[in-house]
Amino acid sequence: MSKNFLAIGECMVEMAPTGEGTYAMGFAGDTLNTAWYARKCLPADWSVGYYTAVGNDQVSGQMLDFLKGSGIDTGSVRRLENRTVGLYMIQLKDGERSFAYWRSQSAARRLAEDAGDLENALAGAGLVYFSGITLAILPPEDRRKFLNALRTARKAGTKTAFDPNLRPRLWEDADIMRSCVTEAAGLCDFVMPSFEDELAHFGDTDANVSASRYLEAGAGMVVVKNGPEEVICATADSRHAFQPQPVRNIVDTTAAGDSYNAAFLAEFLTSGDLVASVDAGAKLAGTVIQHRGALVAECFEPA
């Protein structure tokens, strides 16, 4: 496979609390978070790209400058007139986060509008990473274009990874969400759900049920994250449970799953070692949640 990690989705302006009653502006979003951490975790001979759509306004330009400065290739990003980027604000209570969003005019909603641009972006990717939010923000006809492009890329040898990241408020209704997420999972080599979401929106009784359901849909490997509880890693031929080390000083759980996915995939793509991959994901996520905000550079600074 080519050494090209391509994430697809919506990067947004992030307003994160500083702990002093003010907010710091940054750029983040679930798939962008994973791309950012993947760039930190993957060897230098891997490229990391991001495919989305942004406006032609100043803040869109600042976002692209941020991505480029982070070592992320933006060569295939679409630039659209009369559109801008979305914004969200993190609100924290006892380390748990909630979000307020302003994204109705987000250019990213049109990232799959041009099937040719999308197919060109996917061509040559070694691994394509996307999420349920990537799917949810698209109009139904563009969602179909996206899944078709994914099928084409897989036939050409591209690997695919998917975090269902279930957010019902972004979808037309819960049934469409469940149906589309299940279809997407069946097109993926790696499906990486969070059990809390699966319990709430699919009614799964435990993480093994989630793993089995996605395997039955056609997923190659399922990695079910479950906070401090066991991580379940399952394929059609094997199933393993891994207990993460406890994290005592939880400050902000933003990007916990995104960073886990990045470190797991980076390790698995380079070594193929499942135990090392689970350990890498747990260690990075455990460090990230001890800091504020989605993108934590301190995780990669020498001790």
Side-chain angles (χ1 to χ4, degrees):
M1 65 184 294
S2 71
K3 295 182 177 181
N4 178 10
F5 184 111
L6 178 69
I8 303 177
E10 182 181 26
C11 180
M12 305 178 72
V13 174
E14 176 194 77
M15 301 301 292
T18 63
E20 300 173 356
T22 59
Y23 285 80
M25 175 181 163
F27 298 104
D30 67 333
T31 55
L32 181 276
N33 300 340
T34 298
W36 190 89
Y37 283 110
R39 177 64 286 166
K40 298 287 188 181
C41 295
L42 283 166
D45 61 346
W46 275 76
S47 66
V48 175
Y50 197 68
Y51 182 71
T52 189
V54 300
N56 277 314
D57 56 335
Q58 182 177 357
V59 71
S60 294
Q62 291 173 334
M63 177 180 288
L64 292 181
D65 289 342
F66 168 76
L67 297 178
K68 293 173 188 174
S70 300
I72 296 171
D73 180 17
T74 62
S76 60
V77 171
R78 304 187 72 216
R79 301 295 299 267
L80 304 177
E81 296 291 344
N82 302 316
R83 288 276 175 162
T84 186
V85 294
L87 178 148
Y88 73 93
M89 179 180 292
I90 300 173
Q91 300 163 314
L92 294 174
K93 183 177 181 181
D94 300 326
E96 290 298 321
R97 83 281 197 215
S98 61
F99 303 96
Y101 291 96
W102 296 264
R103 71 198 315 174
S104 61
Q105 290 299 306
S106 170
R109 292 179 177 271
R110 295 169 60 184
L111 69 84
E113 183 178 55
D114 189 310
D117 281 356
L118 180 60
E119 289 177 6
N120 287 338
L122 269 59
L127 181 129
V128 170
Y129 176 87
F130 67 106
S131 77
I133 293 176
T134 308
L135 299 173
I137 65 173
L138 301 178
E141 61 274 18
D142 290 354
R143 202 177 289 151
R144 183 53 47 196
K145 292 177 190 175
F146 182 90
L147 293 175
N148 288 339
L150 208 64
R151 287 186 177 92
T152 300
R154 288 196 83 204
K155 289 178 181 178
T158 298
K159 300 293 185 182
T160 51
F162 175 53
D163 184 336
N165 218 347
L166 302 170
R167 299 294 182 266
R169 288 184 297 177
L170 296 177
W171 292 86
E172 298 93 319
D173 62 51
D175 287 339
I176 290 175
M177 175 186 73
R178 286 187 286 263
S179 175
C180 188
V181 162
T182 300
E183 180 182 356
L187 300 175
C188 290
D189 299 278
F190 305 92
V191 177
M192 309 184 76
S194 295
F195 177 65
E196 181 180 18
D197 288 349
E198 307 305 313
L199 170 64
H201 304 301
F202 277 94
D204 295 345
T205 53
D206 61 48
N208 276 291
V209 172
S210 300
S212 295
R213 178 169 48 77
Y214 283 121
L215 289 174
E216 290 169 5
M221 175 187 290
V222 183
V223 181
V224 186
K225 308 178 295 287
N226 194 11
E229 305 302 323
E230 287 182 336
V231 175
I232 302 298
C233 297
T235 67
D237 301 320
S238 66
R239 187 169 301 223
H240 305 279
F242 300 90
Q243 180 62 56
Q245 293 295 315
V247 178
R248 306 296 182 189
N249 182 36
I250 298 175
V251 174
D252 178 0
T253 57
T254 304
D258 305 331
S259 58
Y260 184 102
N261 294 348
F264 178 98
L265 289 169
E267 180 61 38
F268 198 85
L269 290 171
T270 52
S271 74
D273 187 321
L274 180 61
V275 174
S277 301
V278 171
D279 185 57
K283 283 183 176 178
L284 181 56
T287 304
V288 167
I289 64 176
Q290 296 181 66
H291 298 80
R292 295 187 184 275
L295 306 180
V296 183
E298 293 93 323
C299 295
F300 302 95
E301 294 176 354

